[in-house]
Amino acid sequence: MDQIFVVRQILEKFYADDIDLHLLFIDFKKVFDSTNQTKLLESPASFGIPKKIERLMKMALEGAQAKVIVDGKISNPSVISRGVRQGDALSAKMFNLVLHKALKNLKQVNTISNRLTQICGYADNILVTARSLPALEAMCVEISREAGRVGLELNPQKYKYMRFSVSPS
């Protein structure tokens, strides 16, 4: 809800000041299925998370197995070496740490009021706002690069672009 409030405030401010704004909603490819577990376990230490929590995260990931039921028959267990459990609160928090690690490397200071771009995020959804299309494109390249460093991949087919302007054109 906080991010919706932030976006609404940004839009109202830019509308009142008659300033164009470009918005891009970014999606990641199969984020919970493809997240690199090694990168997940590297992130907690960089945020000062206690070792006890870090060990619990490691226990939740290591040795995880899955079985599949096909035509009423249960398969042999398969070791899960990539991704995290969907619907698990801990998995969502672990993913957020990895995403935060990627995004904190971007040069984001102050707010969209006095710079070219701003990023709002919730879970695996990212909204990039920019004052110009070239600034938006440049930020997307940076996000893709930093996300790749932590094992995340963007899904351009699911991007949604919106131009917010008072003047029609």
Side-chain angles (χ1 to χ4, degrees):
M1 289 303 252
D2 290 341
Q3 298 298 2
I4 293 170
F5 176 76
V6 168
V7 172
R8 185 175 178 153
Q9 291 296 306
I10 291 170
L11 294 175
E12 287 176 6
K13 173 74 173 149
F14 276 66
Y15 182 83
D17 293 343
D18 194 18
I19 300 171
D20 288 356
L21 192 63
H22 300 266
L23 299 101
L24 184 67
F25 296 87
I26 293 179
D27 186 67
F28 292 93
K29 282 187 182 176
K30 299 182 180 180
V31 69
F32 286 102
D33 296 331
S34 62
T35 303
N36 183 322
Q37 290 184 353
T38 304
K39 298 291 183 182
L40 280 171
L41 294 172
E42 288 173 3
S43 295
S46 64
F47 290 106
I49 292 176
K51 288 285 184 191
K52 183 175 184 175
I53 303 295
E54 199 173 327
R55 284 192 302 273
L56 289 172
M57 293 170 68
K58 190 173 183 177
M59 287 171 46
L61 291 174
E62 286 184 343
Q65 296 182 347
K67 294 180 182 180
V68 180
I69 299 174
V70 179
D71 293 330
K73 296 179 184 176
I74 301 174
S75 71
N76 291 328
S78 298
V79 175
I80 300 170
S81 58
R82 291 194 65 79
V84 293
R85 293 183 200 124
Q86 293 187 26
D88 179 28
L90 181 60
S91 296
K93 295 293 183 195
M94 287 190 288
F95 169 74
N96 282 336
L97 288 173
V98 170
L99 183 59
H100 186 74
K101 184 176 182 178
L103 297 181
K104 80 175 187 173
N105 293 328
L106 301 173
K107 297 168 190 77
Q108 294 286 296
V109 183
N110 301 321
T111 67
I112 191 70
S113 298
N114 56 6
R115 66 168 183 234
L116 290 176
T117 62
Q118 181 161 340
I119 299 171
C120 294
Y122 179 75
D124 65 337
N125 301 301
I126 301 296
L127 170 64
V128 181
T129 57
R131 290 177 173 235
S132 70
L133 192 54
L136 183 71
E137 291 169 346
M139 182 53 64
C140 286
V141 169
E142 281 189 58
I143 290 171
S144 179
R145 183 187 66 241
E146 292 301 326
R149 287 183 182 169
V150 295
L152 299 174
E153 188 178 348
L154 302 181
N155 190 358
Q157 290 78 23
K158 288 191 172 182
Y159 285 6
K160 300 292 181 212
Y161 169 75
M162 182 169 66
R163 180 174 169 258
F164 184 80
S165 180
V166 175
S167 56
S169 60

